Amino acid sequence: MKYICLGYYDKEKFDGMPESERNAMFDACFEYDDHLRANGHSTGGTALQPAETALTLSWKDGKVATTDGPYAETKEQLGGLGVLEARDMNHAVQLMSQHPALKYGTLWEIRPVGDMSEIMKASEQRRRQNTAR
């Protein structure tokens, strides 16, 4: 089963780290990511630009509205995400609890990926019927 792992970090703490500590953190994290990939547990992931580069879309007064920045107003920022392959949530927790980023203050939110295949198939059938008319 696939799980999305959302990594949150404290930007002030990260920015205050000495370069040597930041490099050690990255090296340990990337080494663990390599381990996850080599063992078939990582199917992807990516870092995100800082929260101040975000744009949030919402629906207001019958049209799309945009707001600069992320939706959540928190000290921690979403810094990246990973796609993890695990047997179940316990296994996902076991794998991510060994991630070195935890020791540097990163929080991991783990969510099972939703299976949209049946909903997508039904939608495709409805759309085909609508265009056939």
Side-chain angles (χ1 to χ4, degrees), residues 79-92:
L81 61 95
V83 182
L84 190 67
E85 186 69 43
R87 291 184 303 273
D88 54 31
M89 180 61 90
N90 288 335
H91 188 217

Side-chain angles (χ1 to χ4, degrees), residues 8-9 11 48-58 66-79:
Y8 293 87
Y9 72 104
K11 186 175 179 346
L48 298 174
Q49 292 289 322
E52 57 268 13
T53 66
L55 188 68
T56 299
L57 303 180
S58 59
T66 60
T67 306
D68 288 339
Y71 176 72
E73 296 284 334
T74 64
K75 182 173 147 183
E76 290 83 17
Q77 297 182 18
L78 180 59

